[in-house]
Amino acid sequence: MKTLCWIRRDLRLHDNHALSQALKFGDTVVAFVFDQNILDKLKNKSDKRVTFIYESLLELDKELQKKGSSLVVRYGTPDEEIPEICKEFKINKVFTNKDYEPYAKKRDELVTKKLKTIGVEFESFKDSVFFEKQEVLTGSGAVYKVFTPYKNKWLEKFEAQDKVIPEFKCDLKKLHHFSNKQNIQEVDWYPLIGFKKDSSPLSGGTSQAFKLLENFEKHMSRYKEERDFPAVPGTSNLSVHIRFGTISLRDMIRAAISKKSEGASTWLSELIWRDFYQMILDTHPYIEKESFKREYDQIKWLGSDEHFQAWCEGRTGFPIVDAAMRCLNETGMMHNRLRMIVASFMCKILLIDWRKGEKYFAEKLLDFDLAANNGGWQWSSSSGCDAQPYFRIFNPYTQSEKFDAQGEFIKKWVPELANASSKEIHRPDGLLFSHYPRPIVSYEANRVRCLEMYSVIKKA
Ligand SMILES: Cc1cc2nc3c(=O)[nH]c(=O)nc-3n(C[C@H](O)[C@H](O)[C@H](O)COP(=O)(O)OP(=O)(O)OC[C@H]3O[C@@H](n4cnc5c(N)ncnc54)[C@H](O)[C@@H]3O)c2cc1C
């Protein structure tokens, strides 16, 4: 039997469920398709995520070559390319890991159908989440819609397994040996896929993921105290790696449970949030376009395109918001506290539909993940499954004072305020700092407008 392991958002050769299963049969080819359906939609042809993927594939191919094999890379639509690869290598069965996004589910259905016509089997495995939708259910067998009871049940199930997290061993000796003329080390794929290389603040590849994890382990115990302060390197920065699977979720959970500290438990909770949002997207795919709580789609958003543009470009006159947006535009990264501040600000102070901000984040974030991004936006706009109540409106000034007290983060991204004191920086005086934009709206007035705008929910 000859097998194909089709990697997508699991760009690694260790602890990979599909790969471990494929290798049990042996003679395994590993392939990646630069998916035209996804790439063609990316407006920025120097997208940092493409560079991240490319770097990860280069590292992966080097490892495969050490074992006498090589990564098969193609550009096109998977429903055409995967059957082609199968024909070329006389594959009997394709192994892959599950992806719960609506597009991915449709893609896999189509690929399965096409493979059937040429007599090739297709099987997918749980890998990117710890528990799937049917594994964590309420007493009456329903899926949870609120995080805390979900988390408690998740932990209960986890403890019942004696907290043992077996690794999916990948015996690379069983790879198919061949020489690859289209080798990714030799063929420059960037022009072929219509992209240019761009530097990314985080390099791709499993080795980089483990460096980050190792570094984070040194301060994981302080995570609870440090994770909310953007000027402090208190979080792991692993989101892009878990998004593309250069590290496994199990690697991260193993690291969390090996450390017995409050910080480690808090970090584990964040990984459970990730599972929660994946499960919510899997079971409620309509949230990709609509509010989880459907009555929130009755809101008539009052905000303007002009204000949206100012928000995107980091010139709202609210320093913490502008610093966060400028950081995102430049690096593709944004701290979690800042994501909450700018999302809440856009929906509840600029009165703009959450879908616009969600789309902007999807274009810019290095770690963009549909489930987590949608979850974060719907939490911030209050339309989500376990969201903050609609009348809770973050005050950007007090958030700034609390989480960037000295203005260290703001000063890094808003040079116009370099000379502001720690008192002035959160709400600068327009006369003293005339080169910095005046606030485009009044926080106090728009807070009131927001409550009026959201009042349709009470009526619904
Ligand atoms: C509006 C908004 C949009 C967001 N968009 C995304 C996104 O597109 N992709 C993304 O991975 N996260 C998103 N998040 C969640 C969170 O901001 C990031 O996961 C986190 O900032 C990544 O940094 P880190 O790796 O240092 O996280 P750490 O604090 O080290 O957390 C470890 C891991 O847990 C997961 N995680 C942490 N917080 C959350 C959360 N709230 N929801 C789901 N998973 C979480 C991530 O995989 C993260 O890498 C969003 C949050 C908000 C409020």
Side-chain angles (χ1 to χ4, degrees), residues 223 235-239 242 267 270-271 273-274 277 334 336 339-340 343 361 365 367-369 372-373 376-377:
Y223 178 74
T235 70
S236 71
N237 278 326
L238 277 165
S239 52
I242 188 69
W267 197 60
E270 295 308 312
L271 299 176
W273 265 111
R274 187 180 170 278
Y277 281 143
M334 195 192 283
N336 181 59
R339 295 187 206 207
M340 294 195 291
F361 267 30
L365 276 177
D367 68 11
F368 166 62
D369 172 88
N373 193 42
W377 275 95

PDB file of all heavy atoms in Angstrom, residues 223 235-239 242 267 270-271 273-274 277 334 336 339-340 343 361 365 367-369 372-373 376-377, ligand 1:
ATOM      1  N   TYR A 223       2.642  34.051  34.054  1.00  0.00           N
ATOM      2  CA  TYR A 223       1.709  34.368  32.957  1.00  0.00           C
ATOM      3  C   TYR A 223       0.469  35.109  33.459  1.00  0.00           C
ATOM      4  O   TYR A 223       0.043  36.100  32.864  1.00  0.00           O
ATOM      5  CB  TYR A 223       1.312  33.066  32.241  1.00  0.00           C
ATOM      6  CG  TYR A 223       0.321  33.246  31.111  1.00  0.00           C
ATOM      7  CD1 TYR A 223       0.708  33.802  29.889  1.00  0.00           C
ATOM      8  CD2 TYR A 223      -1.007  32.854  31.252  1.00  0.00           C
ATOM      9  CE1 TYR A 223      -0.196  33.961  28.840  1.00  0.00           C
ATOM     10  CE2 TYR A 223      -1.918  33.004  30.213  1.00  0.00           C
ATOM     11  CZ  TYR A 223      -1.507  33.558  29.011  1.00  0.00           C
ATOM     12  OH  TYR A 223      -2.413  33.721  27.989  1.00  0.00           O
ATOM     13  N   THR A 235       3.472  36.739  27.244  1.00  0.00           N
ATOM     14  CA  THR A 235       2.729  35.633  26.618  1.00  0.00           C
ATOM     15  C   THR A 235       3.686  34.823  25.727  1.00  0.00           C
ATOM     16  O   THR A 235       4.858  35.182  25.576  1.00  0.00           O
ATOM     17  CB  THR A 235       1.536  36.159  25.783  1.00  0.00           C
ATOM     18  OG1 THR A 235       2.036  36.832  24.631  1.00  0.00           O
ATOM     19  CG2 THR A 235       0.663  37.113  26.586  1.00  0.00           C
ATOM     20  N   SER A 236       3.162  33.747  25.138  1.00  0.00           N
ATOM     21  CA  SER A 236       4.057  32.802  24.457  1.00  0.00           C
ATOM     22  C   SER A 236       4.413  33.177  23.019  1.00  0.00           C
ATOM     23  O   SER A 236       5.408  32.693  22.485  1.00  0.00           O
ATOM     24  CB  SER A 236       3.406  31.420  24.441  1.00  0.00           C
ATOM     25  OG  SER A 236       2.288  31.420  23.541  1.00  0.00           O
ATOM     26  N   ASN A 237       3.575  33.980  22.372  1.00  0.00           N
ATOM     27  CA  ASN A 237       3.740  34.288  20.929  1.00  0.00           C
ATOM     28  C   ASN A 237       3.673  33.043  20.056  1.00  0.00           C
ATOM     29  O   ASN A 237       4.239  33.011  18.956  1.00  0.00           O
ATOM     30  CB  ASN A 237       5.086  34.993  20.658  1.00  0.00           C
ATOM     31  CG  ASN A 237       4.991  36.461  20.953  1.00  0.00           C
ATOM     32  OD1 ASN A 237       3.932  37.064  20.747  1.00  0.00           O
ATOM     33  ND2 ASN A 237       6.056  37.033  21.463  1.00  0.00           N
ATOM     34  N   LEU A 238       3.014  32.014  20.535  1.00  0.00           N
ATOM     35  CA  LEU A 238       2.971  30.766  19.770  1.00  0.00           C
ATOM     36  C   LEU A 238       1.772  30.667  18.829  1.00  0.00           C
ATOM     37  O   LEU A 238       1.624  29.684  18.104  1.00  0.00           O
ATOM     38  CB  LEU A 238       2.985  29.566  20.730  1.00  0.00           C
ATOM     39  CG  LEU A 238       4.385  29.169  21.206  1.00  0.00           C
ATOM     40  CD1 LEU A 238       4.323  28.246  22.414  1.00  0.00           C
ATOM     41  CD2 LEU A 238       5.169  28.491  20.078  1.00  0.00           C
ATOM     42  N   SER A 239       0.901  31.692  18.847  1.00  0.00           N
ATOM     43  CA  SER A 239      -0.355  31.552  18.094  1.00  0.00           C
ATOM     44  C   SER A 239      -0.160  31.265  16.608  1.00  0.00           C
ATOM     45  O   SER A 239      -0.887  30.466  16.027  1.00  0.00           O
ATOM     46  CB  SER A 239      -1.234  32.782  18.292  1.00  0.00           C
ATOM     47  OG  SER A 239      -0.503  33.944  18.023  1.00  0.00           O
ATOM     48  N   ILE A 242       0.847  27.576  16.272  1.00  0.00           N
ATOM     49  CA  ILE A 242      -0.239  26.610  16.466  1.00  0.00           C
ATOM     50  C   ILE A 242      -1.231  26.730  15.311  1.00  0.00           C
ATOM     51  O   ILE A 242      -1.829  25.749  14.889  1.00  0.00           O
ATOM     52  CB  ILE A 242      -0.901  26.760  17.871  1.00  0.00           C
ATOM     53  CG1 ILE A 242      -1.908  25.629  18.147  1.00  0.00           C
ATOM     54  CG2 ILE A 242      -1.560  28.073  18.102  1.00  0.00           C
ATOM     55  CD1 ILE A 242      -1.278  24.310  18.336  1.00  0.00           C
ATOM     56  N   TRP A 267      -2.625  29.574  31.535  1.00  0.00           N
ATOM     57  CA  TRP A 267      -2.248  29.381  30.121  1.00  0.00           C
ATOM     58  C   TRP A 267      -3.033  28.215  29.510  1.00  0.00           C
ATOM     59  O   TRP A 267      -3.519  28.308  28.388  1.00  0.00           O
ATOM     60  CB  TRP A 267      -0.732  29.153  30.009  1.00  0.00           C
ATOM     61  CG  TRP A 267      -0.198  29.346  28.623  1.00  0.00           C
ATOM     62  CD1 TRP A 267      -0.267  30.488  27.879  1.00  0.00           C
ATOM     63  CD2 TRP A 267       0.477  28.382  27.812  1.00  0.00           C
ATOM     64  NE1 TRP A 267       0.341  30.286  26.652  1.00  0.00           N
ATOM     65  CE2 TRP A 267       0.818  29.004  26.587  1.00  0.00           C
ATOM     66  CE3 TRP A 267       0.869  27.054  28.007  1.00  0.00           C
ATOM     67  CZ2 TRP A 267       1.496  28.357  25.563  1.00  0.00           C
ATOM     68  CZ3 TRP A 267       1.546  26.404  26.985  1.00  0.00           C
ATOM     69  CH2 TRP A 267       1.849  27.052  25.772  1.00  0.00           C
ATOM     70  N   GLU A 270      -6.333  29.221  28.356  1.00  0.00           N
ATOM     71  CA  GLU A 270      -6.357  29.885  27.040  1.00  0.00           C
ATOM     72  C   GLU A 270      -6.377  28.848  25.922  1.00  0.00           C
ATOM     73  O   GLU A 270      -7.040  29.039  24.902  1.00  0.00           O
ATOM     74  CB  GLU A 270      -5.147  30.815  26.872  1.00  0.00           C
ATOM     75  CG  GLU A 270      -5.127  31.990  27.835  1.00  0.00           C
ATOM     76  CD  GLU A 270      -6.417  32.790  27.841  1.00  0.00           C
ATOM     77  OE1 GLU A 270      -6.923  33.132  26.767  1.00  0.00           O
ATOM     78  OE2 GLU A 270      -6.945  33.053  28.944  1.00  0.00           O
ATOM     79  N   LEU A 271      -5.654  27.753  26.141  1.00  0.00           N
ATOM     80  CA  LEU A 271      -5.662  26.691  25.123  1.00  0.00           C
ATOM     81  C   LEU A 271      -7.049  26.047  25.056  1.00  0.00           C
ATOM     82  O   LEU A 271      -7.484  25.591  23.999  1.00  0.00           O
ATOM     83  CB  LEU A 271      -4.580  25.644  25.437  1.00  0.00           C
ATOM     84  CG  LEU A 271      -3.142  26.188  25.452  1.00  0.00           C
ATOM     85  CD1 LEU A 271      -2.150  25.106  25.856  1.00  0.00           C
ATOM     86  CD2 LEU A 271      -2.752  26.751  24.083  1.00  0.00           C
ATOM     87  N   TRP A 273      -9.832  27.771  25.660  1.00  0.00           N
ATOM     88  CA  TRP A 273     -10.622  28.761  24.876  1.00  0.00           C
ATOM     89  C   TRP A 273     -10.499  28.450  23.389  1.00  0.00           C
ATOM     90  O   TRP A 273     -11.447  28.541  22.624  1.00  0.00           O
ATOM     91  CB  TRP A 273     -10.100  30.190  25.105  1.00  0.00           C
ATOM     92  CG  TRP A 273     -10.813  30.970  26.167  1.00  0.00           C
ATOM     93  CD1 TRP A 273     -10.281  31.333  27.368  1.00  0.00           C
ATOM     94  CD2 TRP A 273     -12.149  31.512  26.124  1.00  0.00           C
ATOM     95  NE1 TRP A 273     -11.223  32.060  28.070  1.00  0.00           N
ATOM     96  CE2 TRP A 273     -12.365  32.187  27.337  1.00  0.00           C
ATOM     97  CE3 TRP A 273     -13.177  31.501  25.181  1.00  0.00           C
ATOM     98  CZ2 TRP A 273     -13.561  32.838  27.638  1.00  0.00           C
ATOM     99  CZ3 TRP A 273     -14.378  32.137  25.470  1.00  0.00           C
ATOM    100  CH2 TRP A 273     -14.557  32.797  26.692  1.00  0.00           C
ATOM    101  N   ARG A 274      -9.288  28.084  22.991  1.00  0.00           N
ATOM    102  CA  ARG A 274      -9.051  27.788  21.577  1.00  0.00           C
ATOM    103  C   ARG A 274      -9.916  26.601  21.131  1.00  0.00           C
ATOM    104  O   ARG A 274     -10.600  26.667  20.121  1.00  0.00           O
ATOM    105  CB  ARG A 274      -7.553  27.501  21.377  1.00  0.00           C
ATOM    106  CG  ARG A 274      -7.154  27.353  19.939  1.00  0.00           C
ATOM    107  CD  ARG A 274      -5.653  27.076  19.806  1.00  0.00           C
ATOM    108  NE  ARG A 274      -5.378  26.717  18.426  1.00  0.00           N
ATOM    109  CZ  ARG A 274      -5.565  25.507  17.932  1.00  0.00           C
ATOM    110  NH1 ARG A 274      -5.997  24.526  18.697  1.00  0.00           N
ATOM    111  NH2 ARG A 274      -5.325  25.272  16.664  1.00  0.00           N
ATOM    112  N   TYR A 277     -13.648  27.719  20.891  1.00  0.00           N
ATOM    113  CA  TYR A 277     -14.040  28.461  19.687  1.00  0.00           C
ATOM    114  C   TYR A 277     -14.014  27.568  18.432  1.00  0.00           C
ATOM    115  O   TYR A 277     -14.814  27.755  17.519  1.00  0.00           O
ATOM    116  CB  TYR A 277     -13.139  29.688  19.492  1.00  0.00           C
ATOM    117  CG  TYR A 277     -13.506  30.867  20.373  1.00  0.00           C
ATOM    118  CD1 TYR A 277     -12.527  31.677  20.928  1.00  0.00           C
ATOM    119  CD2 TYR A 277     -14.842  31.185  20.638  1.00  0.00           C
ATOM    120  CE1 TYR A 277     -12.859  32.775  21.727  1.00  0.00           C
ATOM    121  CE2 TYR A 277     -15.174  32.271  21.432  1.00  0.00           C
ATOM    122  CZ  TYR A 277     -14.186  33.064  21.976  1.00  0.00           C
ATOM    123  OH  TYR A 277     -14.518  34.145  22.755  1.00  0.00           O
ATOM    124  N   MET A 334      -0.652  41.498  17.295  1.00  0.00           N
ATOM    125  CA  MET A 334      -1.282  42.375  18.283  1.00  0.00           C
ATOM    126  C   MET A 334      -1.539  41.582  19.556  1.00  0.00           C
ATOM    127  O   MET A 334      -2.022  40.454  19.512  1.00  0.00           O
ATOM    128  CB  MET A 334      -2.594  42.972  17.762  1.00  0.00           C
ATOM    129  CG  MET A 334      -3.069  44.144  18.610  1.00  0.00           C
ATOM    130  SD  MET A 334      -4.753  44.674  18.285  1.00  0.00           S
ATOM    131  CE  MET A 334      -4.598  45.567  16.780  1.00  0.00           C
ATOM    132  N   ASN A 336      -3.178  40.341  23.021  1.00  0.00           N
ATOM    133  CA  ASN A 336      -4.593  40.024  23.276  1.00  0.00           C
ATOM    134  C   ASN A 336      -5.357  41.172  23.945  1.00  0.00           C
ATOM    135  O   ASN A 336      -6.478  41.497  23.558  1.00  0.00           O
ATOM    136  CB  ASN A 336      -4.696  38.758  24.132  1.00  0.00           C
ATOM    137  CG  ASN A 336      -6.133  38.390  24.405  1.00  0.00           C
ATOM    138  OD1 ASN A 336      -6.913  38.165  23.479  1.00  0.00           O
ATOM    139  ND2 ASN A 336      -6.520  38.373  25.675  1.00  0.00           N
ATOM    140  N   ARG A 339      -6.186  43.638  21.373  1.00  0.00           N
ATOM    141  CA  ARG A 339      -7.248  43.180  20.452  1.00  0.00           C
ATOM    142  C   ARG A 339      -8.607  43.469  21.085  1.00  0.00           C
ATOM    143  O   ARG A 339      -9.540  43.905  20.418  1.00  0.00           O
ATOM    144  CB  ARG A 339      -7.123  41.671  20.176  1.00  0.00           C
ATOM    145  CG  ARG A 339      -5.857  41.314  19.431  1.00  0.00           C
ATOM    146  CD  ARG A 339      -5.830  39.840  19.016  1.00  0.00           C
ATOM    147  NE  ARG A 339      -4.444  39.388  18.886  1.00  0.00           N
ATOM    148  CZ  ARG A 339      -4.022  38.410  18.104  1.00  0.00           C
ATOM    149  NH1 ARG A 339      -4.855  37.750  17.353  1.00  0.00           N
ATOM    150  NH2 ARG A 339      -2.750  38.065  18.055  1.00  0.00           N
ATOM    151  N   MET A 340      -8.703  43.224  22.399  1.00  0.00           N
ATOM    152  CA  MET A 340      -9.990  43.470  23.069  1.00  0.00           C
ATOM    153  C   MET A 340     -10.308  44.962  23.085  1.00  0.00           C
ATOM    154  O   MET A 340     -11.440  45.371  22.852  1.00  0.00           O
ATOM    155  CB  MET A 340      -9.961  42.917  24.497  1.00  0.00           C
ATOM    156  CG  MET A 340      -9.849  41.408  24.531  1.00  0.00           C
ATOM    157  SD  MET A 340     -10.246  40.688  26.130  1.00  0.00           S
ATOM    158  CE  MET A 340      -8.919  41.204  27.141  1.00  0.00           C
ATOM    159  N   ALA A 343     -11.112  46.240  19.406  1.00  0.00           N
ATOM    160  CA  ALA A 343     -12.359  45.658  18.872  1.00  0.00           C
ATOM    161  C   ALA A 343     -13.558  46.292  19.570  1.00  0.00           C
ATOM    162  O   ALA A 343     -14.534  46.706  18.928  1.00  0.00           O
ATOM    163  CB  ALA A 343     -12.357  44.146  19.065  1.00  0.00           C
ATOM    164  N   PHE A 361      -8.846  42.327  10.486  1.00  0.00           N
ATOM    165  CA  PHE A 361      -7.914  41.473  11.246  1.00  0.00           C
ATOM    166  C   PHE A 361      -7.529  40.244  10.407  1.00  0.00           C
ATOM    167  O   PHE A 361      -6.386  39.809  10.422  1.00  0.00           O
ATOM    168  CB  PHE A 361      -8.572  41.007  12.546  1.00  0.00           C
ATOM    169  CG  PHE A 361      -8.293  41.887  13.747  1.00  0.00           C
ATOM    170  CD1 PHE A 361      -8.072  43.243  13.602  1.00  0.00           C
ATOM    171  CD2 PHE A 361      -8.258  41.354  15.028  1.00  0.00           C
ATOM    172  CE1 PHE A 361      -7.825  44.055  14.708  1.00  0.00           C
ATOM    173  CE2 PHE A 361      -8.008  42.143  16.146  1.00  0.00           C
ATOM    174  CZ  PHE A 361      -7.781  43.484  15.982  1.00  0.00           C
ATOM    175  N   LEU A 365      -3.637  39.858  10.446  1.00  0.00           N
ATOM    176  CA  LEU A 365      -3.029  39.078  11.537  1.00  0.00           C
ATOM    177  C   LEU A 365      -2.208  37.903  11.028  1.00  0.00           C
ATOM    178  O   LEU A 365      -2.715  37.081  10.261  1.00  0.00           O
ATOM    179  CB  LEU A 365      -4.121  38.502  12.443  1.00  0.00           C
ATOM    180  CG  LEU A 365      -4.712  39.357  13.547  1.00  0.00           C
ATOM    181  CD1 LEU A 365      -5.822  38.580  14.254  1.00  0.00           C
ATOM    182  CD2 LEU A 365      -3.664  39.799  14.558  1.00  0.00           C
ATOM    183  N   ASP A 367      -1.403  35.474  12.856  1.00  0.00           N
ATOM    184  CA  ASP A 367      -1.970  34.260  13.459  1.00  0.00           C
ATOM    185  C   ASP A 367      -3.448  34.100  13.123  1.00  0.00           C
ATOM    186  O   ASP A 367      -4.156  33.347  13.808  1.00  0.00           O
ATOM    187  CB  ASP A 367      -1.766  34.266  14.981  1.00  0.00           C
ATOM    188  CG  ASP A 367      -2.580  35.349  15.710  1.00  0.00           C
ATOM    189  OD1 ASP A 367      -3.464  35.974  15.101  1.00  0.00           O
ATOM    190  OD2 ASP A 367      -2.317  35.566  16.913  1.00  0.00           O
ATOM    191  N   PHE A 368      -3.925  34.780  12.065  1.00  0.00           N
ATOM    192  CA  PHE A 368      -5.360  34.753  11.789  1.00  0.00           C
ATOM    193  C   PHE A 368      -5.907  33.319  11.787  1.00  0.00           C
ATOM    194  O   PHE A 368      -5.415  32.441  11.084  1.00  0.00           O
ATOM    195  CB  PHE A 368      -5.689  35.423  10.453  1.00  0.00           C
ATOM    196  CG  PHE A 368      -7.087  35.096   9.999  1.00  0.00           C
ATOM    197  CD1 PHE A 368      -8.171  35.475  10.771  1.00  0.00           C
ATOM    198  CD2 PHE A 368      -7.315  34.352   8.851  1.00  0.00           C
ATOM    199  CE1 PHE A 368      -9.470  35.142  10.394  1.00  0.00           C
ATOM    200  CE2 PHE A 368      -8.605  34.026   8.461  1.00  0.00           C
ATOM    201  CZ  PHE A 368      -9.685  34.416   9.237  1.00  0.00           C
ATOM    202  N   ASP A 369      -6.945  33.149  12.567  1.00  0.00           N
ATOM    203  CA  ASP A 369      -7.614  31.862  12.662  1.00  0.00           C
ATOM    204  C   ASP A 369      -9.102  32.179  12.722  1.00  0.00           C
ATOM    205  O   ASP A 369      -9.530  32.943  13.590  1.00  0.00           O
ATOM    206  CB  ASP A 369      -7.131  31.169  13.948  1.00  0.00           C
ATOM    207  CG  ASP A 369      -7.907  29.910  14.235  1.00  0.00           C
ATOM    208  OD1 ASP A 369      -7.511  28.863  13.733  1.00  0.00           O
ATOM    209  OD2 ASP A 369      -8.926  29.986  14.955  1.00  0.00           O
ATOM    210  N   ALA A 372     -10.952  31.607  16.236  1.00  0.00           N
ATOM    211  CA  ALA A 372     -10.528  32.487  17.339  1.00  0.00           C
ATOM    212  C   ALA A 372     -10.838  33.947  17.026  1.00  0.00           C
ATOM    213  O   ALA A 372     -11.248  34.710  17.912  1.00  0.00           O
ATOM    214  CB  ALA A 372      -9.034  32.315  17.604  1.00  0.00           C
ATOM    215  N   ASN A 373     -10.652  34.337  15.772  1.00  0.00           N
ATOM    216  CA  ASN A 373     -10.883  35.730  15.396  1.00  0.00           C
ATOM    217  C   ASN A 373     -12.379  36.062  15.488  1.00  0.00           C
ATOM    218  O   ASN A 373     -12.778  37.063  16.079  1.00  0.00           O
ATOM    219  CB  ASN A 373     -10.356  35.974  13.978  1.00  0.00           C
ATOM    220  CG  ASN A 373     -10.255  37.439  13.621  1.00  0.00           C
ATOM    221  OD1 ASN A 373      -9.819  38.265  14.425  1.00  0.00           O
ATOM    222  ND2 ASN A 373     -10.681  37.793  12.431  1.00  0.00           N
ATOM    223  N   GLY A 376     -13.330  36.191  19.096  1.00  0.00           N
ATOM    224  CA  GLY A 376     -12.873  37.427  19.747  1.00  0.00           C
ATOM    225  C   GLY A 376     -13.730  38.624  19.360  1.00  0.00           C
ATOM    226  O   GLY A 376     -14.093  39.448  20.204  1.00  0.00           O
ATOM    227  N   TRP A 377     -14.071  38.704  18.075  1.00  0.00           N
ATOM    228  CA  TRP A 377     -14.878  39.846  17.609  1.00  0.00           C
ATOM    229  C   TRP A 377     -16.304  39.763  18.140  1.00  0.00           C
ATOM    230  O   TRP A 377     -16.884  40.770  18.562  1.00  0.00           O
ATOM    231  CB  TRP A 377     -14.854  39.955  16.082  1.00  0.00           C
ATOM    232  CG  TRP A 377     -13.637  40.732  15.662  1.00  0.00           C
ATOM    233  CD1 TRP A 377     -12.428  40.216  15.283  1.00  0.00           C
ATOM    234  CD2 TRP A 377     -13.486  42.155  15.670  1.00  0.00           C
ATOM    235  NE1 TRP A 377     -11.536  41.235  15.043  1.00  0.00           N
ATOM    236  CE2 TRP A 377     -12.161  42.442  15.267  1.00  0.00           C
ATOM    237  CE3 TRP A 377     -14.331  43.226  15.971  1.00  0.00           C
ATOM    238  CZ2 TRP A 377     -11.671  43.752  15.158  1.00  0.00           C
ATOM    239  CZ3 TRP A 377     -13.844  44.530  15.861  1.00  0.00           C
ATOM    240  CH2 TRP A 377     -12.536  44.779  15.462  1.00  0.00           C
TER     241      TRP A 377
HETATM  242  C1  LIG B   1     -10.806  40.544  18.562  1.00  0.00           C
HETATM  243  C2  LIG B   1      -9.895  39.361  18.766  1.00  0.00           C
HETATM  244  C3  LIG B   1      -9.405  38.665  17.672  1.00  0.00           C
HETATM  245  C4  LIG B   1      -8.574  37.557  17.851  1.00  0.00           C
HETATM  246  N1  LIG B   1      -8.108  36.889  16.745  1.00  0.00           N
HETATM  247  C5  LIG B   1      -7.336  35.787  16.893  1.00  0.00           C
HETATM  248  C6  LIG B   1      -6.854  35.078  15.766  1.00  0.00           C
HETATM  249  O1  LIG B   1      -7.172  35.390  14.617  1.00  0.00           O
HETATM  250  N2  LIG B   1      -6.036  34.006  15.990  1.00  0.00           N
HETATM  251  C7  LIG B   1      -5.685  33.613  17.246  1.00  0.00           C
HETATM  252  O2  LIG B   1      -4.934  32.640  17.389  1.00  0.00           O
HETATM  253  N3  LIG B   1      -6.150  34.246  18.320  1.00  0.00           N
HETATM  254  C8  LIG B   1      -6.939  35.331  18.196  1.00  0.00           C
HETATM  255  N4  LIG B   1      -7.376  36.006  19.304  1.00  0.00           N
HETATM  256  C9  LIG B   1      -7.044  35.472  20.643  1.00  0.00           C
HETATM  257  C10 LIG B   1      -5.728  36.011  21.265  1.00  0.00           C
HETATM  258  O3  LIG B   1      -5.688  37.390  21.175  1.00  0.00           O
HETATM  259  C11 LIG B   1      -4.478  35.412  20.625  1.00  0.00           C
HETATM  260  O4  LIG B   1      -4.577  34.015  20.559  1.00  0.00           O
HETATM  261  C12 LIG B   1      -3.233  35.767  21.436  1.00  0.00           C
HETATM  262  O5  LIG B   1      -3.077  37.152  21.519  1.00  0.00           O
HETATM  263  C13 LIG B   1      -1.998  35.147  20.777  1.00  0.00           C
HETATM  264  O6  LIG B   1      -0.847  35.472  21.482  1.00  0.00           O
HETATM  265  P1  LIG B   1       0.009  34.359  22.230  1.00  0.00           P
HETATM  266  O7  LIG B   1       0.303  33.240  21.307  1.00  0.00           O
HETATM  267  O8  LIG B   1       1.165  35.046  22.856  1.00  0.00           O
HETATM  268  O9  LIG B   1      -1.034  33.847  23.306  1.00  0.00           O
HETATM  269  P2  LIG B   1      -0.878  33.187  24.740  1.00  0.00           P
HETATM  270  O10 LIG B   1      -1.429  34.133  25.717  1.00  0.00           O
HETATM  271  O11 LIG B   1       0.479  32.666  24.972  1.00  0.00           O
HETATM  272  O12 LIG B   1      -1.922  31.968  24.659  1.00  0.00           O
HETATM  273  C14 LIG B   1      -1.521  30.666  24.190  1.00  0.00           C
HETATM  274  C15 LIG B   1      -2.388  30.237  23.042  1.00  0.00           C
HETATM  275  O13 LIG B   1      -3.741  30.089  23.462  1.00  0.00           O
HETATM  276  C16 LIG B   1      -4.613  30.430  22.386  1.00  0.00           C
HETATM  277  N5  LIG B   1      -5.453  31.550  22.814  1.00  0.00           N
HETATM  278  C17 LIG B   1      -5.142  32.526  23.679  1.00  0.00           C
HETATM  279  N6  LIG B   1      -6.196  33.353  23.870  1.00  0.00           N
HETATM  280  C18 LIG B   1      -7.186  32.882  23.090  1.00  0.00           C
HETATM  281  C19 LIG B   1      -8.517  33.292  22.832  1.00  0.00           C
HETATM  282  N7  LIG B   1      -9.066  34.355  23.446  1.00  0.00           N
HETATM  283  N8  LIG B   1      -9.249  32.590  21.943  1.00  0.00           N
HETATM  284  C20 LIG B   1      -8.748  31.503  21.333  1.00  0.00           C
HETATM  285  N9  LIG B   1      -7.484  31.061  21.536  1.00  0.00           N
HETATM  286  C21 LIG B   1      -6.724  31.742  22.398  1.00  0.00           C
HETATM  287  C22 LIG B   1      -3.737  30.843  21.208  1.00  0.00           C
HETATM  288  O14 LIG B   1      -3.575  29.723  20.366  1.00  0.00           O
HETATM  289  C23 LIG B   1      -2.437  31.223  21.887  1.00  0.00           C
HETATM  290  O15 LIG B   1      -1.317  31.082  21.066  1.00  0.00           O
HETATM  291  C24 LIG B   1      -8.228  37.125  19.157  1.00  0.00           C
HETATM  292  C25 LIG B   1      -8.734  37.829  20.254  1.00  0.00           C
HETATM  293  C26 LIG B   1      -9.543  38.928  20.062  1.00  0.00           C
HETATM  294  C27 LIG B   1     -10.077  39.673  21.268  1.00  0.00           C
END
